């Protein structure tokens, strides 16, 4: 009687090597063993995993979806063994998603260091401003800011992110300095991917929807527009730190600066005990703990 794991390794090996012969070599078994295992798996699932000809083996559309799941199952099984056999050393594949700017500036260097430390680990960092479904798309970890709503996920705060509102001295000399949030109605606003600006007023957050004079989903492009004197911007401080220090930009409405936002490491509940996830979150918290 076939067990629940029967055929999973064989199917994955055929898909990865492109042939039954290649799979047999990889797993050190006979070609007939591979053929029987794949046939049993297809029969049990009632689907065709491979389209076979005398010259090639091609994964079907249905097979491709199952192969991706099988590969994750195999990786998780090996990681579970590693927790016991190798003192929990991270190995296998680590898939992380993060927003582009945060990832390029802060997360990528940490993950690069992590990969160099653990040679049995492969790392995929997907930089996207899209909110990825970690579970359905097979990610181990996401780095996110602000409010979190997915109850299927665990989270750990790894640092904070500060936001600054500012403009160039040349712009302020032409248009004046806003003394209140309402004064922004009379200013040119430079708007990035965050369409609602948050301010602190009497201990609470107040939202303001700017009318864009210049709009772009790149924080760096917005910062450059502000330095060029095009208007007022409201951005994470890491985009602005050098320009503020050099005097190219001037902070505004300092009494209404919002509190720092938490930056979270977010991961599916079933993955938080894996060494690769636990240790990379620790490393991110250590390296980013001073805030962004």
């Amino acid at each position: 009687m076939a067990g629940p794991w029967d055929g999973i390794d064989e199917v994955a090996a055929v898909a990865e090597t492109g042939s039954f012969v290649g799979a047999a070599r990889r797993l050190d078994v006979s070609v007939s063993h591979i053929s029987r295992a794949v046939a049993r798996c297809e029969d049990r699932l009632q689907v065709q995993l491979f389209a076979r000809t005398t010259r090639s083996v091609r994964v079907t559309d249905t097979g491709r979806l199952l192969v991706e799941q099988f590969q994750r199952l195999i990786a998780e099984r090996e990681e579970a063994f590693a927790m016991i056999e190798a003192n929990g050393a991270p190995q296998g594949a680590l898939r992380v998603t993060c927003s582009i700017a945060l990832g390029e500036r802060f997360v990528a260097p940490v993950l690069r260091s992590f990969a160099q430390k653990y040679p049995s680990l492969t790392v995929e960092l997907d930089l996207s401003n899209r909110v990825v479904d970690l579970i359905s798309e097979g990610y181990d970890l996401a780095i996110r800011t602000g409010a979190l709503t997915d109850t299927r996920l665990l989270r750990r705060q790894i640092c904070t992110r500060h936001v600054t509102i500012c403009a160039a001295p040349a712009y302020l000399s032409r248009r004046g300095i806003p003394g209140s949030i309402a004064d922004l109605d009379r200013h040119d606003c430079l708007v990035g991917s965050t369409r609602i600006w948050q301010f602190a007023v009497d201990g609470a957050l107040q939202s303001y929807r700017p009318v864009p004079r210049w709009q772009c989903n790149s924080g760096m492009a917005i910062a450059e527009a502000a330095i060029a004197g095009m208007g007022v911007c409201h951005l994470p401080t890491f985009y602005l730190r050098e320009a503020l220090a050099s005097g190219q930009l001037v902070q505004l409405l300092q009494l209404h600066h919002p509190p720092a936002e938490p930056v979270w490491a977010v991961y599916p509940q079933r993955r938080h005990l894996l060494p690769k996830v636990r240790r990379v979150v620790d490393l991110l918290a250590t390296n980013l703990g001073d805030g962004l």
Side-chain angles (χ1 to χ4, degrees), residues 38-187:
V38 170
R40 286 195 302 270
C41 193
E42 289 179 321
D43 184 61
R44 186 166 74 252
L45 298 173
Q46 293 296 292
V47 296
Q48 184 178 5
L49 301 175
F50 300 102
R52 307 165 178 80
T53 69
T54 55
R55 295 185 177 182
S56 67
V57 175
R58 180 179 60 82
V59 183
T60 64
D61 290 340
T62 301
R64 188 172 295 107
L65 294 174
L66 285 168
V67 165
E68 291 174 359
Q69 295 292 332
F70 289 174
Q71 289 169 328
R72 285 198 284 272
L73 286 170
I74 292 167
E76 290 176 8
R77 180 190 64 194
E78 297 308 314
E79 287 164 352
F81 292 154
M83 291 173 69
I84 299 172
E85 297 173 357
N87 297 319
Q91 62 176 297
L94 175 68
R95 301 187 72 212
V96 182
T97 179
C98 182
S99 64
I100 296 170
L102 196 62
E104 287 179 341
R105 288 169 176 255
F106 302 106
V107 176
V110 175
L111 291 186
R112 184 171 63 246
S113 173
F114 192 64
Q116 289 173 325
K117 183 176 181 180
Y118 298 106
S120 296
L121 185 75
T122 62
V123 176
E124 176 188 344
L125 176 58
D126 178 20
L127 298 182
S128 171
N129 292 331
R130 176 177 69 91
V131 179
V132 172
D133 186 324
L134 300 188
I135 294 174
S136 67
E137 298 184 47
Y139 283 84
D140 298 294
L141 180 68
I143 308 303
R144 292 180 177 162
T145 58
L148 304 175
T149 58
D150 194 334
T151 57
R152 300 173 301 169
L153 305 176
L154 299 177
R155 65 185 183 180
R156 175 180 167 187
Q157 183 174 334
I158 55 174
C159 65
T160 56
R161 185 182 73 168
H162 297 268
V163 174
T164 298
I165 183 166
C166 59
Y171 170 84
L172 296 172
S173 68
R174 294 195 316 268
R175 301 293 299 274
I177 298 174
S180 68
I181 298 168
D183 285 349
L184 293 174
D185 291 344
R186 298 189 293 275
H187 282 268

Side-chain angles (χ1 to χ4, degrees), residues 171-210:
Y171 170 84
L172 296 172
S173 68
R174 294 195 316 268
R175 301 293 299 274
I177 298 174
S180 68
I181 298 168
D183 285 349
L184 293 174
D185 291 344
R186 298 189 293 275
H187 282 268
D188 295 334
C189 293
L190 313 175
V191 180
S193 56
T194 300
R195 307 300 169 86
I196 303 294
W197 293 359
Q198 299 285 345
F199 295 94
V201 178
D202 297 328
L205 286 179
Q206 178 176 312
S207 298
Y208 175 79
R209 183 182 289 274

Side-chain angles (χ1 to χ4, degrees), residues 184-247:
L184 293 174
D185 291 344
R186 298 189 293 275
H187 282 268
D188 295 334
C189 293
L190 313 175
V191 180
S193 56
T194 300
R195 307 300 169 86
I196 303 294
W197 293 359
Q198 299 285 345
F199 295 94
V201 178
D202 297 328
L205 286 179
Q206 178 176 312
S207 298
Y208 175 79
R209 183 182 289 274
V211 176
R213 165 77 170 83
W214 166 261
Q215 187 169 336
C216 181
N217 62 355
S218 164
M220 183 57 67
I222 295 295
E224 290 172 350
I227 292 169
M230 289 186 64
V232 177
C233 71
H234 179 284
L235 286 173
T237 305
F238 62 76
Y239 286 111
L240 311 167
R241 194 165 280 122
E242 291 182 6
L244 290 167
S246 67

Side-chain angles (χ1 to χ4, degrees), residues 270-289:
R270 60 189 177 84
R271 307 195 72 76
H272 74 287
L273 292 177
L274 293 176
K276 64 181 182 182
V277 173
R278 188 175 67 250
R279 293 196 186 186
V280 78
V281 171
D282 287 343
L283 189 61
L284 286 163
T286 298
N287 282 267
L288 308 182

